[in-house]
C-alpha cells in the first residue's frame, strides 16, 4: 500500500515556504465560518422566526445532504483532475448560496438554501484534506501543521464570534459566515494547482476491490469518531445542569480544541514513529479512558484533564485516517478516497447521534459507557487493519512531507 511521493514540478511554481503559509491560511479561513455557524446559526434561525421544530429540521438538512454530496464531489474532483480549481469553484458556490441564505426568511426557503450550501461546502472538507495530503506526499508541506490553523481559527471564531454577534445582533450571523467564506475563496486563489499525477498503471486503472486493510481502518476511525456523539449532543446541557457557568463550559470546550491543535502540530512526528494504524489505536484507547471516566460523572477538577484527551480521540484518529488514505489510494483517486472515508465517518456519526437521545433519556451520564465501548471497538478494528496491512511500514509520513 505504500506509494512513492508524487513528483514535484509544482513546487517550482510555488516556493515551499509560500505554499506552507497559503495552505495554513486556507485551513484557517475555511474553518472560520464553521466556528461561527456551529454555535450561532441556531440564533440566526430563531431571529428569522423559526420555531424549535423548524430549527431542528434546518440543522438536519445539511447533515443529510452531505451524505450523498461528499462522495459524488470526490469522484467529480478526480475526474476533472484539477483539485485546486475544484476547491475554488466550490468556494465561489458556497459564497453565493450563503449570500442567498442571508436574504431568506421563509422556513422552506431556508431549508432549500441550507441544502444548496451543503452541496458545495461540506464536500470541500475532504477535498481540502486530499489537496493538502497530496502536497505533503510530494514533500512540499506538513498536513498536520497546516490543519492546526483550521482548529485554531475555529476556536477563535467560537470566542470572538460571541463578542461580535452580541454587539451586532443575531441577524448578522450569516453575514459573518459569508465574510469568512469570502476570505477562504480569496486564499484558495493563491494555492498552486497540483500537477496531474503520473498515468496510472493498467492494474490501477481497473477498479479492483479496495484493500481490506484500508476499509477496516476507515471503519475503526468511524467507530472512534462516533464515540463523540453523546459528548457533542449532551455534554454542555449536562454540565449546565451540574451548575457550571457558561464561561466554565466554554473553557472546557476550548481545552479540547487546544489539545487538538497540539496534536496536529506534533502529530506528523508521532506518525513517523508509530504509523497511522497505531495512531488510530491510540485514539481508541484514549476514548476508553475519557468516556469510561465520564460515565461516573466526574468533578470539574477531572473534566479538564479528560478534555485534553480530545487531542487523541479526535485529532489522532483524524490525522491517522488522512494519512492512511493518502498511503493506500493512488493519487488519481485521492479526492474520492478522502471523500468516501469522510462519508463513512459521517454515516457512523449520524447513527450515533440519533441513538444518543434515547440513550441519554434512559441512563443519563452512564450512556458514556457506550462511547467507551465504541472507542475499544475502534482500537480493536484498527489492530486488525494493521495486521491486514502487514504492519505500519516504516516510511516518511505522507501527511508530513
Amino acid at each position: 500500500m505504500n506509494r512513492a511521493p508524487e513528483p514535484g514540478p509544482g513546487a517550482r511554481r510555488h516556493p515551499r515556504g509560500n505554499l506552507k503559509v497559503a495552505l495554513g491560511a486556507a485551513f484557517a479561513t475555511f474553518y472560520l465560518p464553521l466556528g461561527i455557524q456551529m454555535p450561532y446559526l441556531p440564533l440566526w434561525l430563531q431571529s428569522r422566526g423559526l420555531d424549535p421544530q423548524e430549527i431542528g429540521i434546518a440543522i438536519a438538512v445539511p447533515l443529510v445532504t452531505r451524505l450523498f454530496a461528499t462522495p459524488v464531489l470526490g469522484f467529480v474532483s478526480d475526474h476533472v483532475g484539477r483539485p485546486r480549481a475544484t476547491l475554488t469553484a466550490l468556494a465561489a458556490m458556497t459564497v453565493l448560496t450563503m449570500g442567498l441564505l442571508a436574504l431568506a426568511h421563509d422556513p422552506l426557503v431556508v431549508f432549500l438554501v441550507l441544502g444548496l450550501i451543503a452541496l458545495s461546502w461540506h464536500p470541500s472538507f475532504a477535498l481540502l484534506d486530499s489537496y493538502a495530503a497530496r502536497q505533503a506526499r510530494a514533500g512540499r508541506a506538513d498536513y498536520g501543521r497546516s490543519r492546526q490553523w483550521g482548529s485554531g481559527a475555529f476556536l477563535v471564531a467560537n470566542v470572538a464570534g460571541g463578542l461580535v454577534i452580541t454587539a451586532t445582533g443575531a441577524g448578522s450571523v450569516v453575514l459573518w459566515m459569508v465574510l469568512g467564506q469570502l476570505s477562504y475563496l480569496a486564499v484558495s486563489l493563491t494555492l498552486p494547482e497540483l500537477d496531474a499525477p503520473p498515468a496510472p498503471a493498467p492494474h490501477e486503472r481497473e477498479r479492483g476491490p479496495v484493500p481490506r486493510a484500508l476499509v477496516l481502518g476507515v471503519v475503526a476511525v468511524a467507530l472512534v469518531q462516533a464515540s463523540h456523539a453523546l459528548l457533542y449532543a449532551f455534554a454542555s446541557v449536562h454540565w449546565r445542569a451540574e451548575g457550571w457557568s457558561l464561561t466554565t463550559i466554554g473553557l472546557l470546550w476550548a481545552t479540547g480544541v487546544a489539545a487538538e491543535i497540539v496534536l496536529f502540530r506534533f502529530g506528523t512526528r508521532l506518525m513517523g514513529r508509530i504509523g497511522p494504524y497505531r495512531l488510530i489505536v491510540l485514539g481508541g484507547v484514549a476514548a476508553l479512558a475519557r468516556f469510561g471516566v465520564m460515565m461516573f460523572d466526574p468533578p470539574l477538577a477531572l473534566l479538564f484533564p479528560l478534555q485534553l484527551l480530545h487531542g487523541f480521540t479526535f485529532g489522532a484518529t483524524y490525522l491517522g485516517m488522512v494519512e492512511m488514505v493518502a498511503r493506500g489510494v493512488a493519487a488519481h483517486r485521492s479526492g474520492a478516497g478522502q471523500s468516501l472515508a469522510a462519508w463513512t465517518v459521517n454515516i457512523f456519526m449520524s447513527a450515533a447521534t440519533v441513538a444518543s437521545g434515547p440513550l441519554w433519556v434512559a441512563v443519563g451520564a452512564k450512556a458514556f459507557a457506550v462511547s467507551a465501548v465504541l472507542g475499544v471497538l475502534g482500537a480493536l478494528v484498527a489492530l486488525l487493519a494493521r495486521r491486514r496491512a502487514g504492519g505500519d511500514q516504516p516510511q516518511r509520513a505522507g501527511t508530513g512531507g
Side-chain angles (χ1 to χ4, degrees), residues 14-28 140-141 146 149 187 190-191:
H14 202 285
R16 180 177 300 188
N18 291 346
L19 174 62
K20 290 180 178 179
V21 171
L23 199 52
F27 274 106
R140 303 171 197 142
S146 299
W149 293 105
V187 171
T190 71
L191 295 172

Side-chain angles (χ1 to χ4, degrees), residues 217-276:
V218 171
V219 170
V221 172
L223 286 166
V224 180
Q225 293 290 350
S227 71
H228 297 80
L230 271 166
L231 182 81
Y232 295 157
F234 294 104
S236 292
V237 174
H238 180 61
W239 292 336
R240 188 62 173 154
E242 291 286 296
W244 309 127
S245 68
L246 292 177
T247 300
T248 299
I249 293 170
L251 288 173
L252 284 167
W253 286 113
T255 299
V257 178
E260 175 187 321
I261 293 170
V262 172
L263 189 285
F264 283 130
R265 173 71 178 175
F266 300 104
T268 298
R269 188 178 304 172
L270 181 61
M271 178 97 65
R273 293 180 178 177
I274 69 175

Side-chain angles (χ1 to χ4, degrees), residues 291-299 365-366 368:
F291 299 120
V293 175
M294 288 190 70
M295 67 178 287
F296 296 107
D297 204 8
K366 288 183 171 53
F368 281 117

Side-chain angles (χ1 to χ4, degrees), residues 18-364:
N18 291 346
L19 174 62
K20 290 180 178 179
V21 171
L23 199 52
F27 274 106
T29 52
F30 184 76
Y31 279 85
L32 195 63
L34 182 69
I36 298 171
Q37 179 256 335
M38 285 190 68
Y40 304 117
L41 184 62
L43 299 178
W44 180 87
L45 294 168
Q46 187 180 51
S47 75
R48 283 296 198 256
L50 276 68
D51 61 34
Q53 183 176 357
E54 290 170 333
I55 291 174
I57 295 173
I59 298 300
V61 164
L63 300 180
V64 175
T65 306
R66 74 182 184 184
L67 292 180
F68 71 86
T70 297
V72 169
L73 265 295
F75 284 107
V76 169
S77 176
D78 288 344
H79 179 72
V80 172
R82 300 181 62 197
R84 199 280 297 169
T86 302
L87 286 171
T88 300
L90 292 176
M93 291 172 60
T94 305
V95 169
L96 176 62
T97 49
M98 278 187 181
L100 293 175
L101 182 63
L103 303 175
H105 291 268
D106 182 85
L108 290 178
V109 176
V110 170
F111 301 156
L112 175 62
V113 176
L114 284 171
L116 292 175
I117 291 171
L119 287 175
S120 56
W121 192 17
H122 288 278
S124 298
F125 286 84
L127 294 179
L128 182 57
D129 281 338
S130 171
Y131 175 90
R134 285 183 61 185
Q135 291 285 18
R137 295 291 290 174
R140 303 171 197 142
D142 182 310
Y143 171 84
R145 293 193 176 190
S146 299
R147 177 60 175 78
Q148 70 175 339
W149 293 105
S151 298
F154 181 87
L155 179 58
V156 168
N158 282 177
V159 177
L163 299 174
V164 171
I165 292 164
T166 297
T168 58
S172 68
V173 169
V174 174
L175 293 176
W176 291 112
M177 290 170 57
V178 171
L179 289 174
Q181 191 65 29
L182 271 172
S183 65
Y184 167 66
L185 173 60
V187 171
S188 73
L189 292 170
T190 71
L191 295 172
E193 185 60 86
L194 280 164
D195 298 319
H203 72 277
E204 288 185 325
R205 287 196 292 266
E206 298 172 0
R207 292 181 178 271
V210 178
R212 187 166 297 182
L214 181 57
V215 174
L216 289 171
V218 171
V219 170
V221 172
L223 286 166
V224 180
Q225 293 290 350
S227 71
H228 297 80
L230 271 166
L231 182 81
Y232 295 157
F234 294 104
S236 292
V237 174
H238 180 61
W239 292 336
R240 188 62 173 154
E242 291 286 296
W244 309 127
S245 68
L246 292 177
T247 300
T248 299
I249 293 170
L251 288 173
L252 284 167
W253 286 113
T255 299
V257 178
E260 175 187 321
I261 293 170
V262 172
L263 189 285
F264 283 130
R265 173 71 178 175
F266 300 104
T268 298
R269 188 178 304 172
L270 181 61
M271 178 97 65
R273 293 180 178 177
I274 69 175
Y277 292 102
R278 282 187 284 191
L279 197 63
I280 297 165
V281 171
L282 185 60
V285 172
L288 169 63
R290 182 184 189 185
F291 299 120
V293 175
M294 288 190 70
M295 67 178 287
F296 296 107
D297 204 8
L300 183 62
L302 280 179
L303 284 177
F304 280 100
L306 290 174
Q307 284 296 95
L308 288 174
L309 290 176
H310 189 73
F312 293 102
T313 60
F314 174 80
T317 52
Y318 191 98
L319 186 62
M321 181 181 74
V322 173
E323 168 72 2
M324 182 178 59
V325 175
R327 290 187 185 186
V329 176
H332 68 286
R333 296 182 182 174
S334 176
Q338 297 291 351
S339 296
L340 286 171
W343 177 81
T344 304
V345 172
N346 288 338
I347 288 285
F348 276 67
M349 179 63 79
S350 298
T353 301
V354 170
S356 66
L359 271 173
W360 190 266
V361 171
V363 295

